[in-house]
Amino acid sequence: MGLEISAASTICWLAFLAFVWCGANNLHMNDGVRTQDIIAGDVFFEILEPSALEYTYRLRPAKDFGGTFGITYKSPQGKLVPAVPADACSTKFENADDLVGNIALVERGHCSFLTKAINVEAIGGAAIIVTEYDTEIDDFDYYIEMVHDNTDRDTNIPAGFLHGKNGIIIRQTLKKMRLPYALVNIPVNLTFIQPHMINQPPWLPCTGLCPPEPRNATGAFLVSKDSFMNLELIGSLPNRGLSHVRIHWLLELLKVVREREQFYFNFTRLDAILDHLRLVGLHPGFELMGVPKESDPPAVALLSRSYPPSFWTDMVQQLVGRYAARYGVQYVSRWRFETWNEPDLRSYNLLNFTVNDYLSYVYAIRDGLRAAAQRYGMVAPKRKLFPLYGPAGLFKSVQHHPLCWSAVNACSANITHGCPFDTITFHRKGSGRWASEVLDGGRELLEDVLNRFPPVGRLKFANE
C-alpha cells in the first residue's frame, strides 16, 4: 500500500500485523516469542464495550504502593471511567458519582502518582489507571515506573500505568461516542494464550520511506520537496499516529574525506532530512546503509573493500555524537538503529560484502553504538541506549542468503557476550492478500531458526 504524492515520490508502507519491528504496540509482540516474556510481571485487561476498543491492553503496576489487580480489585465487567478533571490532583471530580466503585482513567503529571490514587480512593474509586496524554513529551512511547513519593501516606486501591497511545485512543473514542465509560474485564490471565492469539490493538506507530528509482538519485530525493512533503503528511497524523519512519539509504547523504587512515565526515545533507524529521515530530528508523561519497574527487564512491571496521565504528560514534549534541540525547535515544537492509540481495549489497566483510561491518557498527551508549549512559540510565537491530533479511536458503544466516550463526556461537544484535530482524511480508501469510511465514522462519540455533531463543525477534 502506498501514498503517492507525485510521480517522483512514493512512500512504501512497511507495517504489518504481526511481529512488527517498527510498530511496537502496548503488548510489545515484537519483543519476543513467548507469552511469559510478554507478561513479565505486568497486568492485562480487555475492553468488552464499545466494540471499537475491543482489544487486550497491558498495564505496568505501581512498584511500591497500592493494592493488587486480581486481589484488591478484579471484575469481569468493571467500568473504566475517564476522570474529569483528568489529572486527579484533587478530590473535586466533576464526575465523582461515575467514579464510585469503578476504575479511574487519569492523566500523568501535576502531582505524584500516589496523590492521584489517594484522591480517587477518597471519593470511592476502586482502582486507578494512569496514562500519558501529552504526545510531545520525550517518554510518551514508554511505560513509566510508578513509585511511592516518599511521604507517610499510602493507598489501598491498585494502580497501573497504561501506554500513552492506548490512553489517548481510549479517551478520545469514548468522547467521540459520548460514552461515560468503557466496560472492561480486569485482570486477564494470558499465561496459556499463545502470543499470536492475543487480541492486541492494531494502531502501529511506524512506517517506511523508500526512495524511488533511479538509484543514483537516491540522495537527491531524500532531501527533495517531495520527500519532505511525505514526512509532513506522516507527521500530521493526530495523536502521534506514526512516530517513526524507517528510511533506506540515509548514508548516501554523507560525504567523507579520508586522510591517511582517518575519516572525516560531512553531515550537512543528512542534517537536512533529520532536521525535518524532528521538525514534524518524527524519529528515524536509521538503517546504517548506503555508500558515502568522497568529497575529493566529488561524487566518487569509496571502493567497498576500502572500508575498514574503524570506518564504520568512527562513523557511528560521530553520527550519534553529532545528533545528540544537536537534538539532545533523549530524542536520539528513541531512534532505531539497524544494519544494512536485506544485505543478501544484489540490488542492495552495493559493497559486495563477503561473509567476513559483512560480519566485520556488523560488529563495527555494534562497537560504535556501544561506545556511544557508554558515553551517554548517565543521561538516560533507566533504559538501554542505542540497541542494534538486524540483519533485516529475507532468510531464504543458506546458499543464496549466506550473510543473514552467518549473522545468526555468530549470535548462536557467542550468545552471552558476542551477539551484535539486541533484536534479530527478518522479513516475511506475504503476498499482500492475507494477513495470515505474514504470521504463518514469521512463525515458520522462527521455528527454523530456533531448530538450527537453539541458543538464539534467548534473543528478541521482529518481523519488519
Side-chain angles (χ1 to χ4, degrees), residues 93-318:
F93 294 98
E94 296 176 19
N95 60 339
D97 291 343
D98 292 334
L99 294 172
V100 175
N102 295 318
I103 308 164
L105 179 64
V106 309
E107 178 183 14
R108 177 190 177 199
H110 308 297
C111 61
S112 71
F113 294 119
L114 177 59
T115 295
K116 297 175 188 293
I118 289 173
N119 289 337
V120 169
E121 183 180 27
I123 56 92
I128 181 172
I129 292 176
V130 183
T131 191
E132 179 60 75
Y133 290 154
D134 183 0
T135 61
E136 300 303 317
I137 197 166
D138 282 341
D139 49 14
F140 175 78
D141 291 322
Y142 295 93
Y143 285 89
I144 304 300
E145 294 286 353
M146 300 198 304
V147 298
H148 200 285
D149 60 9
N150 294 321
T151 62
D152 58 359
R153 306 172 301 162
D154 209 339
T155 180
N156 295 312
I157 65 172
F161 191 88
L162 176 68
H163 192 283
K165 172 75 70 175
N166 295 323
I168 283 179
I169 291 178
I170 290 171
R171 185 179 74 160
Q172 293 198 345
T173 300
L174 293 177
K175 182 178 180 180
K176 182 178 180 180
M177 300 179 72
R178 298 182 179 180
L179 296 174
Y181 61 84
L183 198 63
V184 302
N185 175 17
I186 185 170
V188 176
N189 185 357
L190 299 181
T191 304
F192 302 105
I193 305 298
Q194 296 184 33
H196 68 276
M197 297 297 292
I198 298 173
N199 185 27
Q200 56 180 317
W203 31 90
L204 305 175
C206 182
T207 187
L209 192 153
C210 310
E213 295 292 338
R215 266 282 303 118
N216 60 7
T218 292
F221 171 79
L222 287 173
V223 293
S224 69
K225 290 183 179 180
D226 285 337
S227 174
F228 284 10
M229 184 181 295
N230 283 339
L231 297 177
E232 289 163 11
L233 288 170
I234 296 170
S236 69
L237 293 174
N239 304 323
R240 197 182 283 182
L242 291 168
S243 60
H244 287 74
V245 183
R246 181 173 177 262
I247 304 175
H248 289 358
W249 306 113
L250 280 174
L251 296 187
E252 300 279 308
L253 296 173
L254 286 183
K255 288 187 177 181
V256 58
V257 175
R258 178 167 46 177
E259 296 181 2
R260 298 181 181 178
E261 295 303 316
Q262 296 295 315
F263 296 93
Y264 302 92
F265 297 93
N266 184 329
F267 292 90
T268 302
R269 297 181 77 207
L270 185 58
D271 289 347
I273 188 171
L274 295 179
D275 285 352
H276 201 71
L277 273 169
R278 187 167 184 266
L279 178 67
V280 297
L282 297 170
H283 300 77
F286 204 117
E287 294 179 345
L288 294 160
M289 168 188 185
V291 184
K293 302 297 189 295
E294 285 203 54
S295 296
D296 186 21
V300 176
L302 287 166
L303 295 175
S304 61
R305 300 302 172 83
S306 67
Y307 286 110
S310 60
F311 170 87
W312 297 107
T313 301
D314 290 349
M315 184 269 292
V316 169
Q317 289 188 73
Q318 290 187 45

Side-chain angles (χ1 to χ4, degrees), residues 316 320-321 324 328-337 365-366 368-377 380 383-389 420 422:
V316 169
V320 173
V329 178
Q330 293 293 342
Y331 174 73
V332 177
S333 71
R334 294 170 65 186
W335 294 9
R336 292 166 179 167
F337 292 97
I365 293 292
R366 180 208 60 181
L369 290 174
R370 287 186 178 177
Q374 291 176 358
R375 177 180 178 184
Y376 296 109
R383 63 177 183 269
K384 182 171 184 178
L385 290 177
F386 319 129
L388 181 61
Y389 297 77
D422 297 278

Side-chain angles (χ1 to χ4, degrees), residues 36 38-43 59 61:
Q36 291 87 343
I38 296 171
I39 295 174
D42 287 343
V43 172
L59 287 179

Side-chain angles (χ1 to χ4, degrees), residues 18-25 27-34 37-38 195 200 338 388-393 395 404-405 407-409 411-412 415 419 421-428 439 441-464:
F19 299 104
V20 185
W21 165 74
C22 64
N25 53 56
L27 295 183
H28 288 242
M29 293 296 292
N30 62 314
D31 284 353
V33 295
R34 300 179 302 171
D37 294 331
I38 296 171
Q200 56 180 317
E338 187 172 29
L388 181 61
Y389 297 77
F395 284 93
C404 291
W405 284 108
V408 176
N409 182 51
C411 282
S412 179
I415 192 66
C419 180
F421 301 115
D422 297 278
T423 297
I424 299 291
T425 57
F426 60 91
H427 294 169
R428 283 295 183 270
L439 181 61
R443 186 188 302 114
E444 291 170 3
L445 177 61
L446 285 174
E447 291 174 353
D448 187 15
V449 170
L450 295 177
N451 284 334
R452 298 188 193 203
F453 306 106
V456 301
R458 297 170 55 184
L459 298 175
K460 302 173 185 178
F461 285 80
N463 184 4
E464 301 174 341

